[in-house]
Amino acid sequence: MITSTQNEKVKLAKALQTTAKSRRKEGKIALEGVRLVRDAVQEGHQPDFIFTSPDVEADLLGWLRARGIQIVEVSDEVMRHLSDTQQPQGVLGVFPMPQPILPEHPNRLLILDSIRNPGNLGTILRTAGAASVDAVLLSPTCADPYNPKVLRGGMGAHFRVPVMAMSWEQIAE
């Protein structure tokens, strides 16, 4: 069990939770919570590792282990340090950053401009997933789609709908 916030994996996860620069540099994202981690794994995304606190359900641990996922137990103190929420769920995974592919002939594209509030962006992405949008294109002035608040607000939409940050030139193409 990891009990130190100075552990290298803990430092990496904290940096991913904190800054977009770290996410881009490392090419990784942190997903916090049972639902996000489960959705990502079910959609075929393989985490580098998953942190769990001591009181996580045995069913979830068994489900993750059955898929060959490395589970690293951390103390409650470390989980609170890593968490972006007031009440951590006890599960945080470090995943490679998704590399979405724009569908060849999309029927429905959603283009977002200057959505800077992470919670609002997450809600829009969740709605886009429910509305069967083929892809969401984000202008350069939108919030980081892998900000923890966007991920939570999207409730797994990132793994069902391609979300792509692009320049206006790329969007015009």
Side-chain angles (χ1 to χ4, degrees), residues 12-154:
L12 170 65
K14 183 65 176 179
L16 297 176
Q17 283 280 75
T18 309
T19 66
K21 182 179 178 181
S22 294
R23 291 187 287 273
R24 285 190 302 270
K25 177 183 172 209
E26 299 294 335
K28 298 181 185 309
I29 60 172
L31 300 179
E32 184 177 354
V34 174
R35 180 183 179 135
L36 277 178
V37 168
R38 191 181 299 260
D39 282 356
V41 171
Q42 284 177 330
E43 291 296 324
H45 299 273
Q46 186 71 14
D48 294 346
F49 56 88
I50 305 249
F51 285 133
T52 62
S53 57
D55 58 345
V56 169
E57 296 175 19
D59 289 349
L60 176 64
L61 293 175
W63 186 84
L64 292 168
R65 284 190 181 108
R67 284 154 180 77
I69 295 170
Q70 179 188 6
I71 297 170
V72 180
E73 190 173 345
V74 297
S75 67
D76 287 331
E77 178 185 333
V78 170
M79 188 58 75
R80 280 191 300 275
H81 170 74
L82 290 171
S83 181
D84 189 58
T85 63
Q86 291 287 337
Q87 298 293 321
Q89 291 185 37
V91 177
L92 186 139
V94 171
F95 287 76
M97 189 171 286
Q99 300 298 317
I101 298 170
L102 187 63
E104 220 173 290
H105 302 288
N107 290 320
R108 291 186 189 116
L109 285 177
L110 178 59
I111 300 171
L112 301 177
D113 181 26
S114 299
I115 307 297
R116 292 187 177 104
N117 181 290
N120 290 348
L121 180 55
T123 300
I124 292 168
L125 295 177
R126 184 174 70 240
T127 303
S132 299
V133 169
D134 294 319
V136 178
L137 309 181
L138 306 177
S139 76
T141 54
C142 283
D144 175 16
Y146 298 108
N147 174 300
K149 290 178 179 149
V150 177
L151 290 164
R152 273 197 314 279

